Amino acid sequence: MHEVLFVTSEIYPFSKTGGLGDVMGALPLSLFNKGIKTAVITPFYGRMNLDGNKVRLVYSDLHVGYPWQPITAEIYQVDYHGMPVYFVGRGEYFDRRYYYNTHNGDYFDNCERFIFFCRAVMKWARLLPGAPQVIHAHDWQSSLVPAYLHFERQQDSFWKNTKSVSTIHNLAFQGRFSGRFFKDSGLPAAAWNMDGAEYYGDFNMLKTGIAYSDAVTTVSPTYAEEILGPEFGCGLEGILSKHSEKLVGILNGADYKVWDPGDDKFLPCCYSSEKLNGKKECKETVLSEFHLSPELQDKPLLGFIGRIRDQKGVDMLIDIIPELMKKDVGLIVLGEGNLSYEARLLEMMESYPGRLSVQIGYTEEMAHIIQAGCDIFLMPSRYEPCGLTQIYALRYGTPPVATAVGGLCDTITPYPSPEATGFTFQKADSRLFFKAIERALSVWQDKDSWRKLVQRAMRKEFSWDRSADEYITMYRNIGARL
Ligand code: ADP
Ligand code: GLC
């Protein structure tokens, strides 16, 4: 029997488009290693990276029972470091080139795909020997599961002791579809109202999860407060405020088994806060691999890694590049997303050969070596539920320059505090961003202060161990018997 069942549309190393994948690759295992019987269920994508894990078919004919046809799913299983990970398979939904969207936009049938996934999760969980104590759903793609549980629990004693949790990793992605899809979900008509699944006539999956979960969490304490107001609430501040007593912010951790410069298979040379020399070698490699001038070895090298989107403040980065390039610095940008920002960045690269390198794409290996080889990490996010890249940057001795929002506030101690680990600016504004970079560059001039800042950053600990304990406390607070 599983005590906690995680429901997610991504789990590293099998699937990942961003931080959700990283979190799911670490948090469930952390609970599992604390002795809690944990399992994960996720889609079986055609493009998955099985990473040498043996996958076996455990059920070939799961009747998911869409309202209009007897549609079935296969269930596969991998024992990942001993923890069961179940995969819901249905080729026509999940065997695609991308996870959620192509460059032309979202897949037209995303609503159908993830209704199918959530229904399959419930059917599979119903077949397991004994109900879990907690079903923990992540983001809109999994959000219908707590709602199904809420209604099934009223009729089926199998579920009577099962609690549900919804975690919001990014409130901007809500799974909002035309209201006509509501009936396909199979939820009862009682859920179709402004306190439930309906949002201005549309079917809103994330809102449905918020309404019917026993607890709602988000990934940093500051973001948990921010989303109760109109600036960051993405239109859901009303329903969140209504349910604020069940909302809690639990800060993400970093998986230091994957992100540790002392033991990182992608780096040409490892290093630690005591032995920083290897970082220089990483910088040398980065300069040559990204075709940057070797003269930058003794100059500040700035890096950005992330989705090329407004959330990440890429427009502000583009705004300041000409002025930044007047200074004696180099810059590497790695990411993909908005096509016009990508084109702008590539155009700019032509203007600053040897000083600006732009890599469009998604490459795990490059992300690691950029973290290690740069001196300063840029993260001018407009909003940031938690943010993991700045946490990795701290560990890699690459102090971040970031907006003081969400999880960035909760993870970076800003200069000039004697405990400083990075630099922040008050709101998403290009001028303020540029000025914060200037502050970082001036500290960089003083080798001794910079080394101390780097070492403080590297010694900061954001382990999953602490976050996992907070999740266990929250599960118990809602009545789970763990
Ligand atoms: P978000 O989830 O909002 O995208 P996070 O900072 O929480 O932001 O997590 C981003 C994760 O995705 C990190 O592991 C980061 O290294 C990775 N990542 C983002 N863009 C790329 C890219 N272009 N190539 C490789 N890894 C990337
Ligand atoms: C989301 C957020 C990011 C967070 C990640 C993992 O993608 O944008 O801030 O770190 O989820 O929780």
Side-chain angles (χ1 to χ4, degrees):
M1 197 195 72
H2 307 308
E3 292 171 307
V4 180
L5 178 64
F6 281 88
V7 188
T8 176
S9 57
E10 296 177 29
I11 170 171
Y12 180 85
F14 306 102
S15 53
K16 163 172 167 179
T17 67
L20 171 65
D22 284 0
V23 171
M24 288 299 104
L27 170 62
L29 264 183
S30 185
L31 292 174
F32 183 76
N33 292 333
K34 283 176 184 285
I36 295 198
K37 295 186 191 106
T38 308
V40 180
I41 186 159
T42 191
F44 190 93
Y45 297 108
R47 57 166 299 178
M48 244 172 8
N49 166 22
L50 283 173
D51 209 34
N53 288 282
K54 263 224 315 275
V55 60
R56 56 185 205 280
L57 178 68
V58 290
Y59 208 89
S60 59
D61 204 18
L62 184 73
H63 284 259
V64 178
Y66 248 74
W68 66 87
Q69 56 180 323
I71 192 170
T72 60
E74 301 109 40
I75 302 289
Y76 299 86
Q77 182 173 344
V78 164
D79 291 316
Y80 184 55
H81 299 287
M83 178 185 74
V85 179
Y86 301 112
F87 295 90
V88 173
R90 175 102 200 161
E92 79 226 45
Y93 288 141
F94 302 123
D95 193 0
R96 299 192 182 175
R97 175 132 185 238
Y98 300 98
Y99 294 100
Y100 316 121
N101 54 275
T102 68
H103 277 304
N104 297 323
D106 289 345
Y107 285 126
F108 74 97
D109 58 351
N110 271 352
C111 184
E112 188 177 322
R113 296 170 78 210
F114 289 99
I115 289 176
F116 173 80
F117 171 62
C118 291
R119 290 177 68 108
V121 168
M122 290 304 286
K123 295 285 179 191
W124 178 242
R126 187 67 183 79
L127 290 183
L128 293 170
Q133 286 291 309
V134 180
I135 297 192
H136 189 159
H138 294 264
D139 277 352
W140 73 265
Q141 294 89 341
S142 308
S143 272
L144 295 186
V145 170
Y148 292 138
L149 177 67
H150 172 87
F151 290 103
E152 287 185 26
R153 201 164 50 186
Q154 294 169 8
Q155 296 161 2
D156 182 349
S157 64
F158 178 81
W159 298 114
K160 68 177 188 301
N161 294 320
T162 304
K163 306 294 176 194
S164 65
V165 180
S166 277
T167 293
I168 301 167
H169 294 262
N170 192 336
L171 198 56
F173 299 96
Q174 299 180 2
R176 182 175 168 180
F177 304 98
S178 157
R180 72 195 151 84
F181 288 108
F182 171 75
K183 73 171 180 355
D184 300 345
S185 73
L187 282 168
W192 188 246
N193 58 64
M194 61 184 276
D195 294 323
E198 192 232 318
Y199 185 79
Y200 295 103
D202 284 345
F203 176 34
N204 186 314
M205 292 211 200
L206 189 69
K207 178 171 180 263
T208 309
I210 295 168
Y212 294 110
S213 294
D214 296 306
V216 176
T217 78
T218 185
V219 286
S220 70
T222 298
Y223 191 61
E225 280 172 29
E226 287 172 345
I227 57 179
L228 296 177
E231 190 183 353
F232 296 102
C234 298
L236 293 186
E237 59 275 15
I239 183 101
L240 284 164
S241 300
K242 182 163 187 275
H243 291 279
S244 63
E245 77 298 339
K246 69 181 188 190
L247 172 68
V248 55
I250 300 179
L251 195 66
N252 284 334
D255 187 347
Y256 294 124
K257 287 194 295 304
V258 181
W259 294 95
D260 173 14
D263 177 20
D264 184 329
K265 63 179 179 197
F266 296 120
L267 303 190
C269 186
C270 290
Y271 60 93
S272 64
S273 60
E274 289 77 38
K275 289 198 180 139
L276 274 167
N277 267 351
K279 190 163 170 71
K280 287 203 186 103
E281 203 171 307
C282 293
K283 184 167 177 179
E284 231 172 83
T285 306
V286 161
L287 292 177
S288 97
E289 283 196 12
F290 293 96
H291 308 292
L292 291 171
S293 156
E295 281 168 22
L296 288 170
Q297 186 67 32
D298 302 316
K299 312 276 164 62
L301 180 61
L302 283 51
F304 171 95
I305 302 167
R307 289 178 286 116
I308 306 277
R309 295 274 169 209
D310 285 329
Q311 175 192 347
K312 301 292 175 184
V314 176
D315 51 324
M316 286 187 274
L317 180 63
I318 291 173
D319 275 357
I320 65 161
I321 284 177
E323 217 172 332
L324 199 56
M325 288 290 115
K326 288 189 194 144
K327 299 191 175 280
D328 219 1
V329 303
L331 171 64
I332 303 180
V333 177
L334 168 66
E336 62 179 4
N338 177 306
L339 291 181
S340 73
Y341 290 158
E342 287 179 5
R344 245 344 251 121
L345 284 163
L346 288 170
E347 224 176 84
M348 287 179 138
M349 179 161 73
E350 302 292 310
S351 313
Y352 306 103
R355 304 272 310 287
L356 171 63
S357 176
V358 175
Q359 305 294 322
I360 302 300
Y362 196 97
T363 322
E364 199 70 22
E365 178 178 354
M366 278 191 193
H368 284 248
I369 66 166
I370 293 171
Q371 289 277 9
C374 288
D375 298 296
I376 297 172
F377 191 78
L378 304 181
M379 200 150 173
S381 306
R382 287 209 152 62
Y383 69 93
E384 199 57 76
C386 177
L388 294 171
T389 43
Q390 85 284 4
I391 301 183
Y392 305 151
L394 291 169
R395 181 47 64 103
Y396 281 67
T398 312
V401 175
T403 331
V405 289
L408 299 172
C409 282
D410 297 339
T411 50
I412 301 168
T413 310
Y415 181 84
S417 154
E419 299 305 312
T421 56
F423 302 82
T424 61
F425 53 102
Q426 279 320 303
K427 64 174 184 16
D429 172 290
S430 319
R431 290 310 314 154
L432 297 180
F433 179 33
F434 189 71
K435 289 216 164 330
I437 297 178
E438 285 189 315
R439 282 200 296 284
L441 295 178
S442 78
V443 179
W444 195 86
Q445 299 302 331
D446 174 356
K447 294 289 163 247
D448 194 44
S449 306
W450 189 259
R451 187 177 36 80
K452 287 190 179 132
L453 175 74
V454 163
Q455 287 175 325
R456 271 196 306 275
M458 293 183 79
R459 288 175 188 150
K460 272 275 172 189
E461 194 67 37
F462 292 98
S463 75
W464 271 111
D465 199 47
R466 174 199 47 81
S467 309
D469 285 340
E470 287 186 51
Y471 278 103
I472 294 171
T473 305
M474 181 268 300
Y475 296 150
R476 289 184 179 142
N477 285 345
I478 55 172
R481 297 196 212 118
L482 295 172

